[in-house]
Amino acid sequence: MFVLIMPILIKPGAKAILIKGLMEVGLFQPSVSEGAKTYPVINNNSVAFKSEDGETISLEDLKGKVIFINFWATWCMPCIAEMAAINKMNQHFKNDVNFVVLMVDADSDFKKSIKFMSRKKYDLKVFIPATEIPGVMFQHSLPTTLLINKKGQIVFKHEGAAAFNNRKFLEFVEKQLKE
């Protein structure tokens, strides 16, 4: 047992590989039980993100779309572990103009995060916060993932790694897209 755990403690990427493997066998599934939790309404005008191109986009600009927001960092092993699943989920919805993925680098380091996405060949656009992020959205726990419905309401929040390409979560997103 100790021999199996040692590499996780010594090699930084080993933890991400272990978590990713556990996701693939069915652990770390996001719970999408609707109605289980309600979140305070956020002022969508006061929350904005900046892209690597310098474009600033507010949640108000995206009203009418379903928004998947993931707060992450390049040094966060659980973040790295879930990234492949997020990329697959993004590919699943890539042709739906009403679905937006915002990968928000909590360290606000475009150079590092874009290099990471490129090296891993992920088709995920990186953003940084352009405004203060309300605590209901993010309390500095990485990774944190949100799904915001077309009305601008948080309908899903998860702290920790998860396999966002699982069937239940994809169906949950599809339901949000139809509403």
Side-chain angles (χ1 to χ4, degrees):
M1 178 83 161
F2 182 71
V3 174
L4 293 173
I5 295 172
M6 258 328 265
I8 296 168
L9 299 174
I10 296 172
K11 189 173 181 190
K15 182 176 181 181
I17 292 167
L18 175 65
I19 294 170
K20 183 178 175 189
L22 292 172
M23 279 193 237
E24 290 172 3
V25 297
L27 296 177
F28 295 100
Q29 301 302 307
S31 174
V32 289
S33 54
E34 291 186 73
K37 175 122 171 121
T38 56
Y39 299 94
V41 175
I42 51 176
N43 179 350
N44 291 327
N45 279 323
S46 67
V47 180
F49 304 95
K50 187 190 298 187
S51 72
E52 62 186 280
D53 307 328
E55 171 193 13
T56 300
I57 187 165
S58 73
L59 291 183
E60 185 64 29
D61 296 334
L62 298 173
K63 206 160 196 181
K65 298 181 183 293
V66 174
I67 311 161
F68 178 93
I69 302 175
N70 181 266
F71 294 93
W72 69 287
T74 57
W75 51 263
C76 168
M77 292 304 119
C79 301
I80 292 168
E82 72 179 359
M83 202 66 67
I86 292 172
N87 193 59
K88 287 177 185 173
M89 178 216 47
N90 185 48
Q91 292 301 311
H92 181 83
F93 293 108
K94 72 179 178 182
N95 295 323
D96 194 323
V97 296
N98 290 316
F99 184 71
V100 177
V101 174
L102 302 176
M103 299 301 295
V104 182
D105 179 2
D107 287 334
S108 297
D109 188 340
F110 277 128
K111 187 176 179 180
K112 259 174 112 170
S113 57
I114 292 168
K115 183 178 177 183
F116 171 85
M117 292 294 185
S118 176
R119 187 176 72 247
K120 295 290 190 177
K121 296 180 177 42
Y122 293 144
D123 187 24
L124 299 165
K125 192 169 180 183
V126 176
F127 293 82
I128 61 171
T131 60
E132 187 157 334
I133 305 300
V136 68
M137 292 179 72
F138 180 56
Q139 294 181 331
H140 305 286
S141 177
L142 294 176
T144 293
T145 304
L146 308 167
L147 192 70
I148 299 175
N149 68 11
K150 291 180 176 183
K151 297 174 192 167
Q153 303 163 316
I154 298 170
V155 293
F156 172 83
K157 182 176 180 182
H158 181 82
E159 293 178 344
F164 291 106
N165 64 327
N166 79 37
R167 183 185 53 78
K168 279 188 177 183
F169 189 77
L170 296 176
E171 288 172 357
F172 180 71
V173 173
E174 287 166 0
K175 182 176 181 196
Q176 301 303 314
L177 287 164
K178 289 177 186 172
E179 291 183 0

